[in-house]
Amino acid sequence: MNARSKLLLGLALVATGMTAPAVAKKEKDQPAPASQGSSAEPDNPYPSTYKPYPGVATAIRGATIFDGEGGRIDKGVVFLSGGKITSIGGPDTPIPADIAVFDGTGKFVTPGVIDIHSHLGVYPSPAVDAHSDGNEMTSPVTPHVWAEHSVWPQDPGFSRALANGGVTTLQILPGSGNLFGGRSVILKNVQARTMQGMKFPGAPYGLKMACGENPKRVYGAKGREPSTRMGNMAVDRQTWIKAREYQKKRAAGKDQTRDLGMETLADALEGKILVQNHCYRADEMANVIDMSKEFGYKVTAFHHAVEAYKIADLLRENGICAAMWGDWYGFKMEAYDGIKENVPLVHQAGACAIVHSDDENGIQRLNQEAAKALGAGRRMGINIPDEIAWTWLAINPAKAMGIADQTGSLKVGKMADVVLWNGNPFSTYTRPEKVWVDGALLYDANDPKRRPVTDFELGQIGAGDVK
């Protein structure tokens, strides 16, 4: 625009009562806030629309209570109201009149089971190629993908996990074919039309990383890096170097093109996104711990971690959880040296132990997975009380998912995510009798109308399901 045009524009603006916008002058010594740079990120572009189902004030009395943090109350009382745990205590705990009261005599009450490692929705049932949306195996570095954009809310696995396993919260992760697999998402286990309708309000994202055989096998077969474990580490480190540069520029408010992957990694460097790292061998977990210190991020949990027992002291010293199976091992070389006592040994060392599924069937029996580990520990002389072992399915995964302030234990003010079991939950013969999510009774074994069924399943032959 020439000088005459600028003058005419100015006169026109004055004539209409408007003023010309000020021309911002960029000061080199006064960088704009990060939110004003060209790499500015939208705040929460895919927000949760989750709303609890309606519930009624409810009390369960006479049951054995595992509070999820290691506490036990015999013949206890749990009172749910307004979607929260209102009170919990012994048999003398007052119960308001005119509310729903369930007799828990001979039964057990626990917080809802939390699965830190699930692929429901991204590898849904039926397991056909058209539904396989968990691994973006087109590059070993794909932090730009978000698992939530693959989640199919109609996956029958969600309702089966609720009804058969008492699972009320779960983290959905991308697969492990890539070194950087993308973002995870945490869901409430409720029926909804959209992913956002299941999305746990305020829960942090996770970054799925993987080491070991999977990335080197996938990309070695394509004749490209990484094809070795040293290649895995090299690509990881090169990626973190790039992420560090992006993060520094973003923090300084410098202009740079938005990069979805770098945004995720920068948030991980700043602790806003929690690093969930698939890793089996002890030596590789130790390497990753050193790498995290090199670049200044924190590993929140190692997943699968079949050799965690070998470095339980390192996990404890670095505040890293190990999410493990009860007895899966030996199905590939990096899983060869697993042992059934893995979980109790990690727990005994004072580290954070978690039992996870990684399987659409296993998620329906996580109580049994924990029971197998508990029994293996006791046979070798590690006598962990039942109520302490329940932390592996409750407060420990909640901590590692960044949601322990809202769920994971039966504490006053927390979400009323509760399971009434028809016996000791560590028994093979025990099943959930009733399951509440945010105080809403979503499953009742004695009421077929309360068995959740997805639209996809209606009119179809189910795998033993009642419709």
Side-chain angles (χ1 to χ4, degrees), residues 180-260:
F180 293 85
R183 291 197 193 196
S184 67
V185 64
I186 296 173
L187 303 179
K188 300 284 286 189
N189 196 9
V190 299
Q191 289 194 307
R193 294 177 299 166
T194 65
M195 171 278 299
Q196 290 96 324
M198 302 175 72
K199 198 171 183 180
F200 194 114
Y205 283 110
L207 168 62
K208 173 66 177 294
M209 293 186 66
C211 56
E213 289 185 26
N214 288 10
K216 82 185 193 79
R217 181 188 71 250
V218 169
Y219 293 97
K222 297 178 181 181
R224 57 171 299 185
E225 189 181 41
S227 64
T228 61
R229 283 181 163 83
M230 61 183 175
N232 285 349
M233 285 291 291
V235 174
D236 277 341
R237 295 175 71 204
Q238 288 173 336
T239 303
W240 283 122
I241 289 170
K242 295 175 183 177
R244 262 283 174 227
E245 290 304 311
Y246 187 93
Q247 185 266 337
K248 289 177 182 177
K249 289 181 180 179
R250 186 180 72 170
K254 295 182 179 180
D255 288 342
Q256 57 184 337
T257 302
R258 274 194 71 190
D259 184 309
L260 294 178

Coordinates of all heavy atoms in Angstrom, one line a residue, residues 180-260:
F180 N 7.7 -43.8 19.0 CA 6.8 -42.8 19.6 C 5.4 -43.1 18.9 O 5.2 -42.8 17.8 CB 7.2 -41.4 19.2 CG 8.5 -40.9 19.9 CD1 9.7 -41.2 19.3 CD2 8.5 -40.2 21.1 CE1 10.9 -40.8 19.9 CE2 9.7 -39.8 21.7 CZ 10.9 -40.1 21.1
G181 N 4.5 -43.7 19.7 CA 3.3 -44.1 19.1 C 2.1 -43.1 19.1 O 1.2 -43.3 18.3
G182 N 2.2 -42.1 19.9 CA 1.2 -41.1 19.9 C 0.6 -40.9 21.3 O 1.1 -41.4 22.3
R183 N -0.5 -40.1 21.3 CA -1.1 -39.8 22.6 C -2.1 -40.8 23.0 O -2.8 -41.4 22.2 CB -1.9 -38.4 22.5 CG -1.0 -37.2 22.4 CD -1.8 -36.0 22.7 NE -1.1 -34.8 22.3 CZ -1.4 -33.5 22.7 NH1 -2.4 -33.4 23.6 NH2 -0.7 -32.5 22.3
S184 N -2.2 -41.1 24.3 CA -3.2 -41.9 24.9 C -4.4 -41.0 25.3 O -4.3 -39.8 25.4 CB -2.7 -42.7 26.0 OG -2.4 -41.8 27.1
V185 N -5.5 -41.7 25.7 CA -6.7 -40.9 26.2 C -7.2 -41.8 27.4 O -7.2 -43.0 27.3 CB -7.7 -40.6 25.1 CG1 -8.3 -41.9 24.6 CG2 -8.8 -39.7 25.7
I186 N -7.7 -41.1 28.4 CA -8.4 -41.8 29.5 C -9.9 -41.6 29.4 O -10.4 -40.6 29.2 CB -7.9 -41.2 30.8 CG1 -6.3 -41.5 31.0 CG2 -8.6 -41.8 32.0 CD1 -5.7 -40.8 32.2
L187 N -10.6 -42.8 29.6 CA -12.0 -42.8 29.4 C -12.7 -43.3 30.6 O -12.2 -44.1 31.4 CB -12.4 -43.7 28.2 CG -11.8 -43.5 26.8 CD1 -12.3 -44.5 25.9 CD2 -12.2 -42.1 26.4
K188 N -13.9 -42.8 30.9 CA -14.8 -43.4 31.8 C -15.5 -44.5 31.1 O -15.9 -44.4 29.9 CB -15.8 -42.4 32.3 CG -15.3 -41.2 33.0 CD -14.8 -41.5 34.4 CE -15.9 -41.7 35.4 NZ -15.5 -41.7 36.8
N189 N -15.8 -45.6 31.7 CA -16.3 -46.8 31.0 C -17.9 -46.7 31.1 O -18.5 -47.4 31.8 CB -15.9 -48.1 31.7 CG -16.1 -49.3 30.7 OD1 -16.5 -49.1 29.6 ND2 -15.9 -50.5 31.3
V190 N -18.4 -45.8 30.2 CA -19.8 -45.6 30.1 C -20.2 -45.7 28.6 O -19.4 -45.5 27.8 CB -20.3 -44.3 30.7 CG1 -19.9 -44.2 32.2 CG2 -19.6 -43.1 29.9
Q191 N -21.4 -46.0 28.4 CA -21.9 -45.9 27.0 C -22.1 -44.5 26.5 O -22.7 -43.7 27.3 CB -23.2 -46.7 26.9 CG -23.0 -48.2 27.0 CD -24.2 -49.0 26.5 OE1 -25.3 -48.8 26.9 NE2 -24.0 -50.0 25.6
A192 N -21.7 -44.2 25.4 CA -21.8 -42.8 24.8 C -21.8 -42.9 23.3 O -21.2 -43.9 22.7 CB -20.7 -41.9 25.3
R193 N -22.3 -41.9 22.6 CA -22.3 -41.9 21.2 C -21.0 -41.5 20.6 O -20.6 -41.9 19.5 CB -23.4 -40.9 20.7 CG -24.8 -41.3 21.0 CD -25.8 -40.2 20.5 NE -25.5 -39.0 21.2 CZ -26.0 -37.8 20.8 NH1 -26.8 -37.7 19.7 NH2 -25.7 -36.7 21.5
T194 N -20.2 -40.7 21.4 CA -18.9 -40.2 20.9 C -17.8 -40.5 21.9 O -18.1 -40.8 23.1 CB -19.0 -38.7 20.7 OG1 -19.2 -38.1 22.0 CG2 -20.1 -38.3 19.8
M195 N -16.6 -40.4 21.4 CA -15.4 -40.5 22.3 C -15.5 -39.5 23.4 O -15.2 -39.7 24.5 CB -14.2 -40.5 21.5 CG -12.9 -40.4 22.2 SD -12.4 -38.7 22.8 CE -12.3 -37.8 21.3
Q196 N -15.8 -38.2 23.0 CA -15.9 -37.1 23.9 C -16.8 -37.4 25.1 O -16.6 -36.9 26.2 CB -16.2 -35.8 23.2 CG -15.1 -35.3 22.3 CD -15.4 -35.7 20.9 OE1 -15.9 -36.8 20.6 NE2 -15.1 -34.8 19.9
G197 N -17.9 -38.2 24.8 CA -18.9 -38.5 25.8 C -18.3 -39.5 26.8 O -18.9 -39.7 27.9
M198 N -17.2 -40.1 26.5 CA -16.6 -41.1 27.5 C -15.3 -40.4 28.1 O -14.8 -41.0 29.1 CB -16.2 -42.3 26.7 CG -17.3 -43.1 26.0 SD -16.7 -44.5 25.1 CE -16.2 -45.7 26.4
K199 N -14.8 -39.4 27.6 CA -13.5 -38.8 27.9 C -13.5 -38.3 29.4 O -14.4 -37.5 29.8 CB -13.2 -37.7 27.0 CG -11.7 -37.3 27.0 CD -11.5 -36.3 25.8 CE -10.0 -35.9 25.7 NZ -9.8 -35.0 24.6
F200 N -12.6 -38.8 30.2 CA -12.5 -38.5 31.6 C -12.2 -37.0 31.7 O -11.1 -36.5 31.3 CB -11.3 -39.3 32.2 CG -11.3 -39.3 33.7 CD1 -11.6 -40.5 34.4 CD2 -11.0 -38.2 34.4 CE1 -11.5 -40.6 35.8 CE2 -11.0 -38.2 35.8 CZ -11.3 -39.4 36.5
P201 N -13.0 -36.2 32.4 CA -12.8 -34.8 32.5 C -11.5 -34.4 33.2 O -11.3 -34.9 34.3 CB -14.0 -34.3 33.2 CG -15.1 -35.4 33.1 CD -14.3 -36.6 33.0
G202 N -10.7 -33.6 32.5 CA -9.5 -33.1 33.2 C -8.3 -34.0 33.3 O -7.3 -33.7 33.8
A203 N -8.5 -35.3 32.8 CA -7.4 -36.2 32.9 C -6.3 -35.8 31.9 O -6.5 -35.4 30.8 CB -7.8 -37.6 32.5
P204 N -5.0 -36.0 32.3 CA -3.9 -35.6 31.4 C -3.7 -36.7 30.3 O -4.2 -37.8 30.5 CB -2.7 -35.6 32.3 CG -3.0 -36.6 33.4 CD -4.5 -36.4 33.6
Y205 N -3.2 -36.2 29.2 CA -2.8 -37.2 28.1 C -1.6 -38.0 28.5 O -0.8 -37.6 29.4 CB -2.6 -36.4 26.8 CG -3.8 -35.9 26.1 CD1 -4.1 -34.6 26.0 CD2 -4.6 -36.8 25.5 CE1 -5.2 -34.1 25.3 CE2 -5.8 -36.4 24.8 CZ -6.0 -35.0 24.7 OH -7.1 -34.6 24.1
G206 N -1.4 -39.1 27.8 CA -0.2 -39.8 28.0 C 0.5 -39.9 26.6 O -0.1 -39.7 25.6
L207 N 1.8 -40.1 26.6 CA 2.6 -40.3 25.4 C 3.0 -41.8 25.4 O 3.8 -42.2 26.3 CB 3.8 -39.4 25.4 CG 4.9 -39.7 24.3 CD1 4.3 -39.6 22.9 CD2 6.1 -38.9 24.5
K208 N 2.6 -42.5 24.4 CA 3.0 -43.9 24.3 C 4.3 -44.0 23.6 O 4.5 -43.5 22.5 CB 1.9 -44.7 23.5 CG 2.3 -46.1 23.2 CD 2.4 -47.0 24.4 CE 2.8 -48.5 24.0 NZ 1.7 -49.1 23.3
M209 N 5.3 -44.6 24.3 CA 6.6 -44.9 23.7 C 6.8 -46.4 23.7 O 6.2 -47.1 24.5 CB 7.7 -44.2 24.4 CG 7.7 -42.7 24.3 SD 9.1 -41.8 25.0 CE 10.5 -42.4 23.9
A210 N 7.7 -46.9 22.9 CA 8.0 -48.3 22.9 C 9.5 -48.5 22.6 O 10.1 -47.8 21.9 CB 7.2 -49.1 21.9
C211 N 10.0 -49.5 23.3 CA 11.4 -49.9 23.0 C 11.4 -51.4 22.7 O 10.4 -52.1 22.7 CB 12.3 -49.6 24.2 SG 11.9 -50.3 25.8
G212 N 12.6 -51.9 22.3 CA 12.7 -53.4 22.1 C 12.4 -53.9 20.8 O 12.6 -53.3 19.8
E213 N 11.8 -55.1 20.8 CA 11.6 -55.9 19.6 C 10.7 -55.3 18.6 O 10.9 -55.3 17.3 CB 11.2 -57.3 19.9 CG 12.2 -58.2 20.5 CD 11.8 -59.6 20.8 OE1 10.9 -60.0 20.0 OE2 12.3 -60.2 21.7
N214 N 9.6 -54.7 19.0 CA 8.5 -54.3 18.1 C 9.0 -53.3 17.1 O 8.9 -53.5 15.9 CB 7.3 -53.8 18.9 CG 6.5 -54.9 19.5 OD1 7.0 -56.1 19.6 ND2 5.4 -54.7 20.0
P215 N 9.5 -52.1 17.5 CA 9.9 -51.1 16.5 C 11.0 -51.6 15.6 O 11.0 -51.4 14.4 CB 10.4 -49.9 17.3 CG 9.7 -50.1 18.7 CD 9.6 -51.6 18.9
K216 N 12.0 -52.3 16.2 CA 13.1 -52.8 15.3 C 12.7 -53.9 14.3 O 13.2 -54.0 13.2 CB 14.3 -53.2 16.2 CG 14.3 -54.6 16.7 CD 15.5 -54.9 17.6 CE 15.7 -56.4 18.0 NZ 16.3 -57.1 16.9
R217 N 11.7 -54.7 14.7 CA 11.2 -55.7 13.8 C 10.3 -55.0 12.7 O 10.5 -55.4 11.5 CB 10.3 -56.7 14.6 CG 9.7 -57.8 13.7 CD 8.7 -58.6 14.4 NE 7.4 -57.9 14.6 CZ 7.0 -57.5 15.8 NH1 7.7 -57.8 16.9 NH2 5.9 -56.9 16.0
V218 N 9.5 -54.1 13.0 CA 8.6 -53.5 12.1 C 9.4 -52.7 11.0 O 9.2 -52.9 9.8 CB 7.6 -52.5 12.7 CG1 6.9 -51.7 11.7 CG2 6.6 -53.3 13.6
Y219 N 10.4 -51.9 11.5 CA 11.1 -51.1 10.5 C 12.3 -51.7 9.9 O 12.7 -51.4 8.8 CB 11.4 -49.7 11.2 CG 10.1 -49.0 11.4 CD1 9.4 -49.0 12.6 CD2 9.4 -48.4 10.3 CE1 8.2 -48.5 12.8 CE2 8.2 -47.8 10.5 CZ 7.6 -47.9 11.7 OH 6.3 -47.3 11.9
G220 N 12.9 -52.7 10.7 CA 13.9 -53.5 10.1 C 13.4 -54.3 8.9 O 14.1 -54.5 7.9
A221 N 12.2 -54.8 9.0 CA 11.6 -55.6 7.9 C 11.4 -54.7 6.7 O 11.3 -55.2 5.5 CB 10.3 -56.2 8.3
K222 N 11.3 -53.4 6.9 CA 11.1 -52.4 5.8 C 12.5 -51.9 5.3 O 12.5 -51.0 4.4 CB 10.2 -51.3 6.2 CG 8.8 -51.7 6.6 CD 8.0 -50.5 7.1 CE 6.6 -50.9 7.4 NZ 5.8 -49.8 7.9
G223 N 13.6 -52.4 5.8 CA 14.9 -52.0 5.4 C 15.2 -50.6 5.8 O 16.0 -49.9 5.1
R224 N 14.7 -50.1 6.9 CA 15.0 -48.7 7.3 C 15.2 -48.7 8.8 O 15.0 -49.7 9.6 CB 13.8 -47.8 7.0 CG 12.5 -48.3 7.6 CD 11.4 -47.2 7.4 NE 11.8 -46.0 8.1 CZ 11.0 -44.9 8.2 NH1 9.8 -44.9 7.6 NH2 11.4 -43.8 8.8
E225 N 15.8 -47.6 9.3 CA 16.1 -47.4 10.7 C 14.8 -47.2 11.5 O 13.9 -46.5 10.9 CB 17.0 -46.2 10.8 CG 17.6 -46.0 12.2 CD 18.5 -44.8 12.3 OE1 18.1 -43.7 11.7 OE2 19.5 -44.8 13.0
P226 N 14.7 -47.8 12.7 CA 15.6 -48.6 13.4 C 15.5 -50.1 13.1 O 14.4 -50.6 12.9 CB 15.3 -48.3 14.8 CG 13.8 -48.2 14.8 CD 13.5 -47.5 13.5
S227 N 16.6 -50.8 13.0 CA 16.5 -52.2 12.8 C 17.2 -52.9 14.0 O 17.3 -54.2 14.0 CB 17.1 -52.6 11.5 OG 18.5 -52.3 11.5
T228 N 17.8 -52.2 14.9 CA 18.5 -52.7 16.1 C 18.1 -51.9 17.3 O 17.5 -50.8 17.2 CB 20.0 -52.6 15.9 OG1 20.3 -51.2 15.8 CG2 20.5 -53.3 14.7
R229 N 18.5 -52.4 18.5 CA 18.2 -51.7 19.7 C 19.0 -50.4 19.8 O 18.5 -49.4 20.3 CB 18.4 -52.6 20.9 CG 17.3 -53.6 21.2 CD 17.6 -54.5 22.4 NE 16.3 -55.1 22.8 CZ 15.8 -56.2 22.3 NH1 16.5 -56.8 21.3 NH2 14.7 -56.7 22.7
M230 N 20.2 -50.4 19.2 CA 21.0 -49.1 19.2 C 20.3 -48.1 18.3 O 20.3 -46.9 18.5 CB 22.4 -49.4 18.9 CG 22.7 -50.0 17.5 SD 24.5 -50.2 17.3 CE 24.5 -51.1 15.7
G231 N 19.7 -48.7 17.2 CA 18.9 -47.8 16.3 C 17.7 -47.2 17.0 O 17.4 -46.0 16.8
N232 N 17.1 -48.0 17.8 CA 15.9 -47.5 18.6 C 16.3 -46.3 19.5 O 15.7 -45.2 19.5 CB 15.4 -48.6 19.6 CG 14.6 -49.6 18.9 OD1 14.2 -49.5 17.7 ND2 14.3 -50.7 19.6
M233 N 17.4 -46.5 20.2 CA 17.9 -45.4 21.1 C 18.3 -44.2 20.3 O 18.1 -43.0 20.7 CB 19.0 -45.9 22.0 CG 18.6 -46.8 23.1 SD 17.7 -46.0 24.4 CE 18.9 -45.0 25.1
A234 N 19.0 -44.4 19.2 CA 19.5 -43.3 18.4 C 18.3 -42.4 17.9 O 18.4 -41.2 17.9 CB 20.4 -43.8 17.3
V235 N 17.3 -43.1 17.3 CA 16.2 -42.4 16.8 C 15.4 -41.6 17.9 O 15.0 -40.5 17.8 CB 15.2 -43.3 16.0 CG1 13.9 -42.6 15.6 CG2 15.9 -43.9 14.8
D236 N 15.3 -42.3 19.1 CA 14.7 -41.7 20.2 C 15.4 -40.4 20.6 O 14.8 -39.3 20.8 CB 14.7 -42.6 21.4 CG 13.6 -43.6 21.5 OD1 12.6 -43.4 20.8 OD2 13.7 -44.6 22.2
R237 N 16.7 -40.5 20.7 CA 17.5 -39.3 21.1 C 17.5 -38.2 20.1 O 17.4 -37.0 20.5 CB 19.0 -39.7 21.4 CG 19.1 -40.7 22.6 CD 20.5 -41.2 22.7 NE 21.4 -40.2 23.2 CZ 22.7 -40.2 23.0 NH1 23.3 -41.1 22.3 NH2 23.4 -39.2 23.6
Q238 N 17.6 -38.5 18.8 CA 17.5 -37.5 17.8 C 16.1 -36.8 17.9 O 16.0 -35.6 17.7 CB 17.7 -38.1 16.4 CG 19.1 -38.6 16.1 CD 19.3 -39.3 14.8 OE1 18.3 -39.9 14.4 NE2 20.5 -39.3 14.3
T239 N 15.1 -37.6 18.1 CA 13.7 -37.0 18.2 C 13.6 -36.0 19.4 O 13.0 -35.0 19.3 CB 12.7 -38.1 18.3 OG1 12.8 -38.9 17.1 CG2 11.3 -37.5 18.3
W240 N 14.2 -36.4 20.5 CA 14.1 -35.6 21.7 C 14.9 -34.3 21.5 O 14.5 -33.2 22.0 CB 14.6 -36.3 23.0 CG 13.6 -37.3 23.5 CD1 13.8 -38.7 23.7 CD2 12.3 -37.0 24.0 NE1 12.7 -39.2 24.3 CE2 11.8 -38.3 24.5 CE3 11.5 -35.9 24.1 CZ2 10.5 -38.3 25.0 CZ3 10.2 -36.0 24.7 CH2 9.7 -37.2 25.1
I241 N 16.0 -34.4 20.8 CA 16.8 -33.2 20.5 C 15.9 -32.2 19.7 O 15.9 -31.0 20.0 CB 18.1 -33.5 19.7 CG1 19.1 -34.3 20.6 CG2 18.7 -32.3 19.1 CD1 20.3 -34.9 19.8
K242 N 15.2 -32.7 18.7 CA 14.3 -31.8 17.9 C 13.2 -31.2 18.8 O 12.8 -30.1 18.7 CB 13.7 -32.6 16.7 CG 14.8 -33.0 15.7 CD 14.1 -33.8 14.6 CE 15.1 -34.3 13.6 NZ 14.5 -35.3 12.6
A243 N 12.7 -32.1 19.7 CA 11.6 -31.7 20.5 C 12.1 -30.6 21.5 O 11.3 -29.6 21.8 CB 11.0 -32.9 21.3
R244 N 13.3 -30.7 22.0 CA 13.9 -29.7 22.9 C 13.9 -28.4 22.2 O 13.6 -27.3 22.8 CB 15.3 -30.1 23.4 CG 15.3 -30.8 24.7 CD 15.2 -29.8 25.8 NE 15.0 -30.4 27.1 CZ 14.1 -30.0 28.0 NH1 13.2 -29.1 27.7 NH2 14.1 -30.6 29.2
E245 N 14.4 -28.3 21.0 CA 14.5 -27.1 20.2 C 13.1 -26.5 20.1 O 12.9 -25.2 20.2 CB 15.2 -27.3 18.9 CG 16.6 -27.6 19.0 CD 17.4 -26.6 19.7 OE1 17.3 -25.4 19.4 OE2 18.2 -26.9 20.7
Y246 N 12.1 -27.3 19.7 CA 10.8 -26.8 19.5 C 10.2 -26.2 20.8 O 9.6 -25.2 20.9 CB 9.9 -27.9 19.0 CG 8.5 -27.5 18.6 CD1 8.2 -27.1 17.3 CD2 7.4 -27.4 19.6 CE1 6.9 -26.7 16.9 CE2 6.2 -27.0 19.2 CZ 5.9 -26.7 17.9 OH 4.6 -26.3 17.5
Q247 N 10.5 -27.0 21.9 CA 9.9 -26.6 23.2 C 10.6 -25.3 23.7 O 9.9 -24.4 24.2 CB 10.2 -27.7 24.2 CG 9.6 -27.5 25.6 CD 10.6 -26.8 26.6 OE1 11.8 -26.9 26.4 NE2 10.1 -26.1 27.6
K248 N 11.9 -25.1 23.4 CA 12.5 -23.8 23.8 C 12.0 -22.6 23.1 O 11.7 -21.6 23.6 CB 14.0 -24.0 23.6 CG 14.7 -24.9 24.6 CD 16.2 -25.0 24.3 CE 16.9 -26.0 25.2 NZ 18.3 -26.2 24.9
K249 N 11.8 -22.8 21.8 CA 11.2 -21.7 21.0 C 9.8 -21.4 21.4 O 9.4 -20.3 21.5 CB 11.2 -22.1 19.5 CG 12.6 -22.1 18.9 CD 12.6 -22.5 17.4 CE 14.0 -22.5 16.8 NZ 14.0 -22.8 15.3
R250 N 9.0 -22.5 21.7 CA 7.6 -22.3 22.1 C 7.6 -21.5 23.4 O 6.8 -20.6 23.6 CB 6.9 -23.6 22.2 CG 5.4 -23.5 22.5 CD 4.7 -24.8 22.7 NE 5.1 -25.5 23.9 CZ 4.5 -26.6 24.3 NH1 3.6 -27.2 23.6 NH2 4.9 -27.2 25.5
A251 N 8.5 -21.9 24.3 CA 8.5 -21.2 25.6 C 8.9 -19.8 25.5 O 8.4 -18.9 26.3 CB 9.4 -22.0 26.6
A252 N 9.7 -19.5 24.5 CA 10.2 -18.1 24.3 C 9.2 -17.3 23.5 O 9.4 -16.1 23.2 CB 11.6 -18.1 23.7
G253 N 8.1 -17.9 23.0 CA 7.2 -17.2 22.1 C 7.7 -16.9 20.7 O 7.2 -16.0 20.0
K254 N 8.7 -17.7 20.3 CA 9.2 -17.4 18.9 C 8.3 -18.1 17.9 O 7.7 -19.1 18.1 CB 10.7 -18.0 18.8 CG 11.7 -17.3 19.7 CD 13.1 -17.9 19.6 CE 14.1 -17.2 20.5 NZ 15.4 -17.8 20.3
D255 N 8.3 -17.4 16.7 CA 7.5 -17.9 15.6 C 8.0 -19.2 15.1 O 9.2 -19.3 14.8 CB 7.4 -16.9 14.5 CG 6.6 -15.7 14.8 OD1 5.8 -15.8 15.8 OD2 6.7 -14.6 14.2
Q256 N 7.2 -20.2 14.9 CA 7.5 -21.4 14.2 C 6.2 -22.1 13.8 O 5.2 -21.9 14.4 CB 8.3 -22.4 15.2 CG 7.7 -22.7 16.5 CD 8.6 -23.6 17.4 OE1 9.5 -24.2 16.9 NE2 8.3 -23.5 18.7
T257 N 6.3 -22.9 12.8 CA 5.2 -23.6 12.2 C 4.7 -24.6 13.3 O 5.4 -25.3 13.9 CB 5.5 -24.3 10.9 OG1 6.0 -23.3 10.0 CG2 4.2 -25.0 10.4
R258 N 3.3 -24.7 13.5 CA 2.8 -25.6 14.4 C 3.2 -27.0 13.9 O 3.1 -27.4 12.7 CB 1.3 -25.5 14.4 CG 0.7 -24.5 15.4 CD -0.8 -24.8 15.6 NE -1.0 -26.0 16.4 CZ -2.2 -26.5 16.5 NH1 -3.3 -26.0 16.0 NH2 -2.4 -27.6 17.3
D259 N 3.5 -27.9 14.8 CA 3.9 -29.3 14.6 C 3.2 -30.1 15.6 O 3.5 -30.1 16.8 CB 5.4 -29.4 14.6 CG 5.8 -30.8 14.2 OD1 5.3 -31.8 14.8 OD2 6.7 -30.9 13.3
L260 N 2.2 -30.9 15.2 CA 1.4 -31.7 16.2 C 2.3 -32.7 17.0 O 2.1 -32.8 18.2 CB 0.3 -32.5 15.4 CG -0.8 -31.7 14.8 CD1 -1.8 -32.6 14.0 CD2 -1.5 -30.8 15.8

